Amino acid sequence: MKKKLYIDLSMIMQVNYMTGVQRVVQEVTLRLLKNDAFSVILICYNSENENFKIIDNNKFYDFFANHIGTKGQCYTQKSLGFHELKTGAVFLDMDNTWNCRLGRSYLYPILRKTGIQIVNFVHDILPVTDPQYSHENTVMHFIGYIGAVIEYSSHVCFSANADADAFSKLCSQLEMPMPSYSVIPLGCDLKVKEYTDPETLPKDDDGNILPEYRHLVVQQEVIDAVGAGKYLLMIGTVEPRKNHRIVIDALDAGLDINVIIVGKMGWNTGELRKRIINHPFYNTKLFMLNKVNDAGINYLYQNAYLLAFPTFNEGFGLPMVEAFQHGTPVIASDIPVLREVGGGFADYFDNTDCNALVEYVKECQKNPEYYNTKKELLKKYKPASWDDFSEKMSVVLLSESKEKGQVPQVVIKQMVVLTARHEDIMKSLPFIEAYMPFIKELVVCCPEWNVEPFKENYKGNLKLIFRTDDQLLNGRPLPDDHQARNFFLRCMIMGLDILDDVFIMTDDDYRPMQLMTQEVFLKDGRYQSYYFYDLKEWQGTYNNYSSFDSGAFRTRDFLESQGYPTYQYSSHQPQVIDKRIFCEMLETHKGIENNPYDEWSTYFNFGIYHHPDLFKPCPNVSMCWPGKLTSWNLYHIPGIFLFENYYAEMYEEGNIFEGFSQEYYDGIDSENQEKAFLFRKAIEQQFDERKVFDSYSRFYFDQEGEYPAMIIHIDPKTQTLELHAPDYIQFQHDCWTRVPVVITEEVYKKYVGKVLKVSYHFRNTLDVPVLNSPEIEIQTGDLKLMLPVRSPKTRIKQGSMLFQAKIKEPEQPLAEGETPVPNPPLVVSAKRISLILT
Amino acid sequence: MEKNIYEKIFDISNENMQKSGNRFAHPKSAFLCYAELDPHKVDLIELSKVEADNSEFLDIAYINLLNRPVDPDAYQSWKKHFNMPEWQFRTLVIQRLVSSKEATVCHKRIYNNIFVRKKLSAKKDSLKSKAMEKLLPVYRRLPEKIKAPIRKLAGGN
């Protein structure tokens, strides 16, 4: 099976130049495309659509390897959301992506959430260690990039040990563990070849060489500069770090050789450029060439007397090894990374002393034997090739790729339930026995008084094993909070020796709805982990915060503090648990069991972070979660309903499942299908209604440049309660739509101990009320909520919506017989909004 | 509060910068802003509340709304407003940047905009309300028999 590999080419596709970093990206990508072990997907950030564009592999190869076509032609029409990369695949980030608008501190947490392994090639960390040589904007971007690499990378590659050492030092300064790493020296097999005679190349009607062949011809300005005499070559972007200044100083101090500077003009080089252009030797002994093609670079290397490399610091020093390969001796800065890469093949000098350079060149010219010995030595130089480099990279990538699941084949036969109401689980068990035939054994954790009635009343075929709460707790007190109790008990269960390594955890009211195999839980070697939301977007159950919600918020904070993914796995359906991984979590986060966390989200996000190869996040397959569709906006519509989260009230008169059987009987399948149909219809309706509001929101954004929201705030100038609302709003007739409401902290600070109530009133074009909402009390401290708004049934197309916020004194509880005291609002703020109904 | 990783990296970079005898031109908050940046959206209420003085806020607003720190020329022209009260300065900066052409090119989704009123919609609204102002007195003078079907037609009870 091929390993899936995403390569981000956002920068190389954007820029028109080819520096050392771009060369690495190009050479490795071209080779990985031809490597059968990988299924490579080339991607490029698309800021307009907030996703990745997919690049055509063949066209990319043609353009970068054979100069056929254009970069623009490489893009396909396909795109990929940041969340849509395949779990277990590798995301290879080699380019200088700190310059990409899609910051890595934003992207990497998303990738890790979906179980993607991130492999980085860190070329250097100079913006941190030597920030004076980088543009300040580069340092700003680089901090976010390198921090994200340290936090989220699975494996980091460096081109030299000196870079790995600097990175390791940074990690220890940050008190962060060093990620696993490899040192892979860059390849440098430039194609050294005879130059093409321009006369032999195809030309257009005007006699100009066709664009795709121009890179084969050495440009005339290069030939002229080379022809001017023996020269010292400098290659690389012109920027302060490269220390071109010292070579010009040497020229002024009597350097007796021509100087050719090649490279694009970089940051902060205005002064240097002026100095070069105004130099008395300019274009006689001192040459500056930009935009030199590959043939020209080869020609310059081959004919150079020496390569000067006086850089202050480097990640690798590619020009040095390229010069070696051309048999050109090198005089380089005496710094650790160049000593490591150049070894005995180069000579070194103090890069702050221009006279040292003058003397060295003089010595070489005076002593041709020494110079020729150097040239002879270079014949023995064997550079690492790009093939070698790519081979080593692919070994790293294969070891990091965890696309193929690694859960050994297991037979799941055990189900574990926590219950305090044996009647409920007793009603669910016939469903489990009928539809989950692979379950043979039920471990029941319950209060002691539940055990006997359970045994007496159970007539099924499952082997029952009981563990009482007292046995689980072993003297430890049970927390009062519902969420804390659940989490604590489930953590305690992991200590039971009767548990299988892999089992199904359930609650007493989760009922399967159709026949299934264990593949629902363990497929292709991966634990299927069912989520129903992202905790980062969770806003709580509407107007009814419970222990579940506060547990969810605390879990979100915990997961974020650990850098773990944040999907919400309390999907109210059975889930598969690997006891060993659960215990690993308890071991890693000692004392975690004493917190009121959501047990499902904590376990699965821990598992996915640490074992992305073993888990697969999947959208939930549970029906009736939530039971009331107004409780929250659904995150997605489940593709299939395999389980029902049973609520007795849904079967009561007037409710969605009125008349359906609440108990199992042979042939209930058709009822289950019908229930699934009804529930799906209800949630699809909710989605359709939301679509109207979503499309209005997008339209409003296009027109007004902002997304619509009701905002309750304190005007900083007048210090009064203000209500900001969109100028117009659109709903579907007769439906519930959730409208974003934002309350600023200042409102609560100004009106401490008071109650905030909102209401909305629909009026037709004649200002006649058509629907008035009750006053809805906002939970103190809510800063953002999605307020369910009921739109009118009437057939009007237009009208207005009056949105109102009131601050009131809290209502006092009335004693019996006491008449309520009027409680007039302290402040009212209202806003009239044009209404469109569709 | 414990420093996050980005803050620590900034401190190390800043120390190295000072050792080299140089200083960063932009404040620390501008550096950290990049690490916490959502590349696609900006919440103006949250932006208006960041802890920063007027000079720092300018950088943060530029980075959030235009994806770049303030350039030296713009900084000079903003400098004369630094003495303004905080809320006034912030409102001014946000209003100017949100309405700028550069912000449009940046494709940033703007949320919770309590700072910039849109003229176009206000104009539309005022036209509508002017029409209603004229029609309502006429409607009110009508007998109930005629009012009722009009109300029904308009969707009222």
Side-chain angles (χ1 to χ4, degrees):
Chain A
M1 187 180 171
K2 288 187 175 191
K3 309 291 179 185
K4 189 150 274 178
L5 175 66
Y6 297 95
I7 307 179
D8 187 343
L9 301 173
S10 303
M11 299 314 295
I12 196 176
M13 292 301 286
Q14 208 179 76
V15 299
N16 292 321
Y17 49 82
M18 186 64 74
T19 65
V21 174
Q22 276 82 45
R23 186 173 292 282
V24 175
V25 177
Q26 176 190 300
E27 298 292 349
V28 175
T29 306
L30 292 175
R31 281 161 180 82
L32 288 172
L33 281 173
K34 298 286 169 199
N35 189 326
D36 285 340
F38 298 100
S39 159
V40 178
I41 298 169
L42 306 179
I43 51 177
C44 174
Y45 173 54
N46 176 5
S47 66
E48 228 167 291
N49 295 336
E50 297 169 24
N51 58 17
F52 289 118
K53 278 185 202 168
I54 295 183
I55 294 166
D56 185 301
N57 292 5
N58 294 328
K59 287 182 180 164
F60 178 89
Y61 195 90
D62 280 346
F63 178 76
F64 282 93
N66 305 321
H67 301 268
I68 297 171
T70 64
K71 267 189 193 175
Q73 289 166 344
C74 295
Y75 295 109
T76 66
Q77 296 297 315
K78 292 180 207 157
S79 61
L80 197 63
F82 305 136
H83 291 90
E84 290 171 359
L85 276 66
K86 201 174 170 195
T87 309
V90 170
F91 180 86
L92 177 59
D93 216 4
M94 297 180 284
D95 216 335
N96 50 354
T97 44
W98 52 90
N99 286 322
C100 183
R101 176 167 156 187
L102 180 63
R104 271 34 198 170
S105 50
Y106 175 84
L107 176 68
Y108 287 177
I110 297 175
L111 298 182
R112 288 308 296 255
K113 181 154 65 183
T114 30
I116 303 290
Q117 301 293 299
I118 299 164
V119 174
N120 289 93
F121 200 102
V122 172
H123 301 272
D124 58 65
I125 58 164
L126 299 178
V128 175
T129 54
D130 300 85
Q132 70 275 22
Y133 297 130
S134 300
H135 191 288
E136 196 160 316
N137 287 7
T138 305
V139 181
M140 283 184 182
H141 288 113
F142 195 82
I143 287 175
Y145 162 79
I146 204 71
V149 170
I150 293 170
E151 268 201 293
Y152 298 107
S153 188
S154 316
H155 193 93
V156 186
C157 302
F158 303 97
S159 52
N161 283 307
D163 301 321
D165 292 347
F167 188 86
S168 167
K169 189 182 164 197
L170 178 63
C171 290
S172 59
Q173 281 175 299
L174 298 168
E175 294 169 348
M176 294 285 287
M178 170 88 171
S180 71
Y181 73 96
S182 315
V183 175
I184 309 175
L186 299 186
C188 50
D189 44 341
L190 272 180
K191 290 175 194 132
V192 183
K193 58 182 180 185
E194 292 304 314
Y195 300 101
T196 315
D197 180 357
E199 293 308 314
T200 62
L201 294 172
K203 298 185 181 65
D204 62 15
D205 295 343
D206 298 330
N208 299 317
I209 295 167
L210 291 175
E212 55 264 44
Y213 296 100
R214 281 182 201 154
H215 67 284
L216 298 173
V217 181
V218 181
Q219 296 129 304
Q220 190 55 46
E221 55 174 348
V222 174
I223 295 170
D224 292 345
V226 170
K230 202 185 276 184
Y231 62 94
L232 190 76
L233 178 66
M234 281 190 81
I235 280 195
T237 308
V238 181
E239 57 177 306
R241 177 170 58 91
K242 300 288 185 182
N243 198 16
H244 289 78
R245 187 187 55 81
I246 203 78
V247 179
I248 316 290
D249 288 349
L251 207 54
D252 292 342
L255 182 70
D256 188 19
I257 193 167
N258 289 357
V259 173
I260 301 180
I261 296 171
V262 181
K264 73 178 180 75
M265 295 306 287
W267 156 76
N268 199 12
T269 48
E271 285 298 314
L272 181 76
R273 195 164 183 276
K274 262 189 223 163
R275 190 176 166 198
I276 293 172
I277 289 170
N278 297 324
H279 199 280
F281 295 151
Y282 183 56
N283 275 345
T284 54
K285 275 190 77 176
L286 172 63
F287 300 87
M288 190 164 68
L289 306 173
N290 313 118
K291 294 184 181 172
V292 178
N293 63 17
D294 283 357
I297 298 279
N298 268 327
Y299 189 72
L300 283 160
Y301 270 128
Q302 273 187 341
N303 293 293
Y305 181 72
L306 278 172
L307 177 90
F309 204 32
T311 178
F312 286 114
N313 212 339
E314 284 297 316
F316 183 71
L318 203 53
M320 184 161 74
V321 283
E322 285 179 347
F324 291 162
Q325 203 198 345
H326 285 88
T328 306
V330 175
I331 173 72
S333 297
D334 193 1
I335 53 174
V337 67
L338 295 189
R339 282 262 179 202
E340 180 188 340
V341 175
F345 291 100
D347 283 325
Y348 303 92
F349 80 113
D350 174 0
N351 61 12
T352 58
D353 181 3
C354 66
N355 290 320
L357 183 61
V358 175
E359 286 307 312
Y360 177 80
V361 174
K362 204 183 277 176
E363 199 55 39
C364 283
Q365 289 181 323
K366 211 164 68 184
N367 188 354
E369 270 176 38
Y370 175 76
Y371 179 77
N372 289 334
T373 319
K374 271 283 167 199
K375 285 208 69 118
E376 277 304 309
L377 183 64
L378 286 174
K379 286 182 183 162
K380 291 181 193 158
Y381 180 73
K382 284 215 171 85
S385 68
W386 285 114
D387 284 339
D388 296 341
F389 178 81
S390 303
E391 190 51 44
K392 284 175 185 158
M393 278 299 290
S394 58
V395 170
V396 167
L397 295 168
L398 284 170
S399 68
E400 282 306 314
S401 172
K402 292 178 175 175
E403 198 185 351
K404 200 173 175 188
Q406 294 173 357
V407 178
Q409 283 209 330
V410 281
V411 175
I412 302 174
K413 64 174 198 327
Q414 194 179 58
M415 187 176 248
V416 178
V417 63
L418 268 180
T419 180
R421 307 176 298 244
H422 70 274
E423 300 88 348
D424 291 347
I425 183 68
M426 297 283 270
K427 282 184 195 164
S428 299
L429 282 177
F431 291 90
I432 292 167
E433 286 176 34
Y435 293 138
M436 299 172 75
F438 54 94
I439 296 294
K440 307 288 181 204
E441 201 173 283
L442 184 72
V443 178
V444 185
C445 304
C446 61
E448 196 165 356
W449 51 265
N450 251 320
V451 177
E452 282 313 311
F454 199 126
K455 280 182 183 166
E456 275 172 29
N457 293 314
Y458 180 63
K459 307 286 181 234
N461 301 320
L462 294 176
K463 180 187 169 191
L464 298 181
I465 302 169
F466 289 92
R467 285 294 179 273
T468 65
D469 290 352
D470 292 341
Q471 286 171 315
L472 281 183
L473 293 170
N474 201 16
R476 293 178 70 168
L478 195 60
D480 291 334
D481 176 78
H482 177 75
Q483 185 70 60
R485 200 163 53 233
N486 267 352
F487 186 52
F488 185 75
L489 282 172
R490 287 199 209 272
C491 292
M492 293 298 104
I493 285 173
M494 298 303 149
L496 296 177
D497 51 6
I498 40 105
L499 281 194
D500 289 347
D501 283 342
V502 180
F503 59 88
I504 304 295
M505 181 83 90
T506 191
D507 250 359
D508 41 26
D509 39 16
Y510 304 164
R511 297 176 171 184
M513 295 174 72
Q514 53 178 277
L515 189 62
M516 64 187 76
T517 66
Q518 73 165 35
E519 279 216 331
V520 169
F521 301 97
L522 177 55
K523 193 179 174 190
D524 299 332
R526 285 223 167 128
Y527 297 125
Q528 309 291 293
S529 322
Y530 295 96
Y531 64 89
F532 80 101
Y533 232 92
D534 185 336
L535 281 164
K536 278 187 180 163
E537 293 178 37
W538 183 247
Q539 299 197 336
T541 312
Y542 166 64
N543 221 20
N544 184 25
Y545 276 12
S546 61
S547 159
F548 175 78
D549 295 299
S550 50
F553 296 133
R554 286 192 182 128
T555 308
R556 174 199 61 199
D557 295 343
F558 165 72
L559 295 171
E560 285 192 329
S561 72
Q562 299 300 319
Y564 291 162
T566 52
Y567 274 141
Q568 196 166 0
Y569 286 93
S570 41
S571 299
H572 284 58
Q573 62 170 79
Q575 301 253 32
V576 63
I577 304 286
D578 185 320
K579 184 175 78 173
R580 294 157 297 191
I581 296 175
F582 206 110
C583 290
E584 186 188 320
M585 178 184 82
L586 296 176
E587 187 59 30
T588 308
H589 301 286
K590 286 209 164 57
I592 191 176
E593 68 275 13
N594 299 314
N595 292 287
Y597 295 154
D598 164 13
E599 61 272 33
W600 310 96
S601 303
T602 316
Y603 165 72
F604 282 112
N605 286 306
F606 173 89
I608 286 161
Y609 184 84
H610 291 285
H611 305 278
D613 49 327
L614 303 184
F615 290 84
K616 183 177 181 201
C618 311
N620 64 313
V621 289
S622 43
M623 187 176 81
C624 308
W625 183 237
K628 279 186 193 165
L629 286 177
T630 49
S631 297
W632 56 78
N633 265 354
L634 290 184
Y635 192 66
H636 49 232
I637 301 179
I640 187 170
F641 293 125
L642 292 181
F643 300 95
E644 176 184 352
N645 178 37
Y646 169 75
Y647 284 110
E649 52 272 33
M650 294 178 84
Y651 293 80
E652 288 169 3
E653 199 180 332
N655 288 340
I656 185 168
F657 298 147
E658 178 189 355
F660 285 94
S661 170
Q662 297 183 54
E663 288 181 11
Y664 179 80
Y665 65 89
D666 284 342
I668 199 171
D669 306 46
S670 57
E671 274 198 36
N672 283 342
Q673 282 173 16
E674 209 177 322
K675 282 195 297 188
F677 174 76
L678 287 175
F679 195 78
R680 180 173 299 283
K681 215 168 126 187
I683 54 175
E684 281 176 351
Q685 192 186 338
Q686 194 203 63
F687 267 78
D688 285 346
E689 290 161 0
R690 261 165 61 186
K691 269 187 206 159
V692 172
F693 193 76
D694 289 347
S695 119
Y696 146 75
S697 298
R698 279 195 299 275
F699 177 80
Y700 194 87
F701 172 71
D702 289 343
Q703 295 292 308
E704 313 291 333
E706 64 187 64
Y707 276 83
M710 313 288 185
I711 305 166
I712 303 166
H713 65 112
I714 303 291
D715 184 286
K717 195 173 178 183
T718 59
Q719 285 299 308
T720 53
L721 186 77
E722 281 284 317
L723 216 156
H724 175 96
D727 294 332
Y728 52 94
I729 200 160
Q730 184 175 6
F731 296 112
Q732 189 173 313
H733 277 100
D734 189 21
C735 73
W736 286 97
T737 305
R738 286 178 160 262
V739 175
V741 175
V742 177
I743 304 125
T744 64
E745 274 174 54
E746 285 73 25
V747 174
Y748 296 114
K749 280 184 196 157
K750 185 168 166 75
Y751 298 105
V752 178
K754 308 291 185 288
V755 174
L756 170 64
K757 291 192 172 187
V758 296
S759 59
Y760 54 88
H761 313 271
F762 289 101
R763 296 178 177 188
N764 66 17
T765 43
L766 296 172
D767 213 24
V768 177
V770 287
L771 190 149
N772 291 314
S773 79
E775 285 189 342
I776 303 153
E777 188 171 326
I778 303 293
Q779 301 273 335
T780 306
D782 266 352
L783 296 178
K784 282 180 185 173
L785 55 104
M786 299 296 283
L787 183 77
V789 170
R790 185 85 177 92
S791 55
K793 269 187 184 176
T794 61
R795 291 281 105 200
I796 58 168
K797 296 277 184 209
Q798 285 185 331
S800 63
M801 178 188 183
L802 190 75
F803 187 67
Q804 213 167 48
K806 285 180 184 173
I807 301 284
K808 290 177 127 181
E809 290 287 354
E811 306 273 349
Q812 296 301 323
L814 292 176
E816 218 178 296
E818 199 180 342
T819 46
V821 183
N823 182 8
L826 302 173
V827 200
V828 181
S829 184
K831 186 84 191 171
R832 187 184 287 270
I833 308 160
S834 295
L835 172 72
I836 305 156
L837 288 171
T838 51
Chain B
M1 210 173 88
E2 206 197 328
K3 286 180 184 176
N4 69 25
I5 185 168
Y6 305 106
E7 202 173 349
K8 287 180 188 172
I9 298 173
F10 170 81
D11 289 344
I12 293 166
S13 310
N14 193 34
E15 203 183 309
N16 291 333
M17 189 70 167
Q18 284 172 2
K19 272 186 202 160
S20 74
N22 296 286
R23 289 173 68 86
F24 287 129
H26 295 279
K28 180 177 183 174
S29 49
F31 285 77
L32 300 182
C33 186
Y34 269 112
E36 286 153 13
L37 196 64
D38 183 320
H40 309 120
K41 67 176 189 183
V42 54
D43 182 328
L44 293 187
I45 289 186
E46 280 175 20
L47 174 64
S48 70
K49 281 191 192 150
V50 293
E51 280 180 28
D53 61 25
N54 283 349
S55 157
E56 287 175 333
F57 178 76
L58 187 64
D59 252 322
I60 293 169
Y62 262 76
I63 292 168
N64 270 279
L65 289 160
L66 308 183
N67 292 320
R68 65 172 178 88
V70 62
D71 53 285
D73 290 347
Y75 184 85
Q76 283 308 320
S77 89
W78 279 107
K79 214 172 169 181
K80 59 178 179 279
H81 300 296
F82 281 174
N83 292 332
M84 274 183 175
E86 190 181 89
W87 64 266
Q88 207 177 338
F89 179 75
R90 290 180 178 210
T91 306
L92 184 68
V93 172
I94 291 175
Q95 280 175 341
R96 291 254 179 97
L97 296 189
V98 167
S99 324
S100 70
K101 274 187 187 167
E102 193 179 341
T104 320
V105 179
C106 282
H107 297 294
K108 279 244 171 171
R109 283 181 284 138
I110 290 168
Y111 286 87
N112 302 331
N113 183 359
I114 53 174
F115 300 92
V116 185
R117 299 303 307 156
K118 296 288 166 183
K119 278 96 198 162
L120 187 70
S121 311
K123 199 174 158 190
K124 269 192 250 164
D125 225 26
S126 74
L127 279 173
K128 218 179 261 178
S129 58
K130 270 183 190 166
M132 286 306 291
E133 267 171 36
K134 285 189 177 172
L135 284 172
L136 268 176
V138 180
Y139 166 79
R140 284 197 190 110
R141 282 199 297 273
L142 293 172
E144 186 54 35
K145 266 187 189 174
I146 300 173
K147 270 186 183 172
I150 294 178
R151 266 208 308 272
K152 205 174 173 187
L153 206 68
N157 296 321

